[in-house]
Every structure is written in C-alpha cells, then in structure tokens.
Amino acid sequence: MNVRFRLRLTGVALATGLSLLACSGTDGRQDTTATSPPVASPTTAPRPSSPPPAPVPAPSGQPSTTPAAPSSPAPGAPSTAAPGPGGGPVTGLGRLQPIWPFTTLGQAQAWQREHRAGGHQPWHLDPEQTALSFTRGYLGFTEIDRVTSRSIGATRARVGVGLSGSEDSGSAAVVHLARYGTGRDAPWVVVGTDDTTFTLTRPAYGSVARSPLTVGGRISGVDESIRIQVRQPSSRAPLGTSCCTPAGGSGQPWSASVSFKGAGDAVLTVVAATGGHIAEVERFTVTAVRTG
C-alpha cells in the first residue's frame, strides 16, 4: 500500500511539472505576446494646409508688368492686367494709344479724384456710353446713336455702334476701348476701331504725324466718298479736313492727303468716314498718331 501511494504521488508531481513547462517561454517566463491585445496608437488628423498668401498689390506709379500690346489694336490681343490697390485692374496700355476722352494717365487720374470726391461724370465707367459719346460728341456723327454689339472684359472692350433703325442695319464701326489707370474706377478710353470692310492703315498706328499727312487703307463698297478729319480732344473743331475721295470695289486701296495745324495734345485722331447712300456717315474708321 505505501509503495503504491508513493508511486502515485511521484506521477502526479511529474505531470504537474510537464504542464508548467508547456506554459512557459524559452526563458522560463510567461509569453504574453499572443494573449495581450494590441494597443492602437492614437492617430493625429492631418492639419489643413495654409492658404497661399495673397498677392502683394503693385504700388501706384510702379510700371505695369503688362505685356506690350501690338502696334495696332488688333482683336484678340488684350494684355493681362495685374491686381490694383483697390482690387481692380492696373491697366498698362502698352503700345495702344489713348485717343479719347483722356490722352494722358494724369488726365485719367485727375478724373478719378473728382469722381471719388463727388461722383463726377460716372459715364467714364461705362464702355458703351463712352463709345457712343466718342462717336456722337467727339467725332460729331450724331446719326449714329445705338449700340449694335458688345464684347466687354475686365480691361478691354469692343462696342459696335450704328445708325438708328432695324437690328440688321449693322455697325458703322466697332470701337475698341481699354481701362486706363488703377483701381476699380479706372476709366474707359477709346484706343481705336476694329476694321473689316473699311480700313485706315496709313499713317501707322502710334506713329508721329506731320502736316500734310498722307492717309489710306482699303475699302469694299459702291460709290463711296471718303472724308478725312484730324482731331484732338482739347479742340471742338477739326484741326484739318479733306473731302471727298471717291472709292469702291472689293478690298480696293484708297488714299488721300490732309493738312492740319494747331496740334497741342499728345495724341491726335485721324478719322475716315464714308456714306451718302442712306445717311451722311454710314461707316467710319479711326487711328491714333502722336505729335512727338
């Protein structure tokens, strides 16, 4: 009996020892790697990127970085304007010539000061009104009294003007305008016309003019009679006129000569007009020349 009891005790002890060895690691310590739950590291949400800094506006008087425009106000060649101090455009005319109502940047800035102080002549901010005032008031073509087309951007505009009547009577001219100055209240100025069937290519746009002046271009039409004027904004009457050059055909050249005197403004306007079929002026074209 005693021997069997001792053998049982020895067997129990051996079994207990084997069980303990099965639950231990290689170093004899309990391995908790598989039994301990993984601890998730806290995730930090990505911060939104900071907005890009606002562009620094160019100070007044700093030369514009606007690319130079071509030598004539051709369609589809507007310059890119930079933001101005008031959030508006900084308009550099490049090679475009300010024909009317302002021929220098100083004149445009003087109007801006008066407008800001008392709302003086707000029509300078409207390209359509400026185009009509140029045609009727400055050139004296009072029969042309309506807008026939418009394409208006932030700093450039093209406004068609025509005779009273039906919409299909067409445009007498397409007036090309540009913003001149800085800020949201930079005024519109006329810089030329966009021409198709009646062009004025001589003298060259922006060239220096001397009297007598040879003018010319091409015209399509029948029994046309071309009249020439040389004007400046500071004078009510033309500085010189020439009448009347017969012309006609399809894209045919025309040429005339005009003498003028009394030029004092920086920029002069050379105007060619034709008509006589249904109105005194049915089409016109202008170019800009300088006095020095």
Side-chain angles (χ1 to χ4, degrees), residues 14-32 35:
L14 288 172
T16 303
L18 291 172
S19 298
L20 291 173
L21 286 172
C23 294
S24 63
T26 56
D27 60 356
R29 291 175 297 178
Q30 187 175 358
D31 186 4
T32 59
T35 58

Side-chain angles (χ1 to χ4, degrees), residues 53-136:
V56 179
S60 300
Q62 179 176 336
S64 171
T65 56
T66 302
S71 59
S72 62
S79 60
T80 302
V90 175
T91 305
L93 294 181
R95 295 179 185 176
L96 296 178
Q97 304 297 318
I99 293 177
W100 187 88
F102 309 116
T103 59
T104 67
L105 183 58
Q107 293 173 359
Q109 292 171 334
W111 170 82
Q112 281 184 292
R113 290 191 293 270
E114 293 179 356
H115 176 70
R116 291 168 183 171
H120 182 65
Q121 294 183 331
W123 61 268
H124 290 304
L125 299 176
D126 186 333
E128 295 185 18
Q129 288 299 316
T130 302
L132 283 174
S133 296
F134 168 75
T135 304
R136 293 168 55 81

Side-chain angles (χ1 to χ4, degrees), residues 197-225:
T197 61
F198 184 26
T199 66
L200 177 55
T201 55
R202 187 178 181 188
Y205 183 86
S207 62
V208 176
R210 297 287 183 265
S211 181
L213 186 64
T214 299
V215 298
R218 290 185 177 273
I219 191 170
S220 294
V222 178
D223 295 332
E224 304 296 339
S225 180

Side-chain angles (χ1 to χ4, degrees), residues 222-239:
V222 178
D223 295 332
E224 304 296 339
S225 180
I226 300 173
R227 286 158 291 171
I228 308 299
Q229 295 182 0
V230 178
R231 288 185 170 272
Q232 64 181 6
S234 63
S235 302
R236 295 184 62 88
L239 304 180

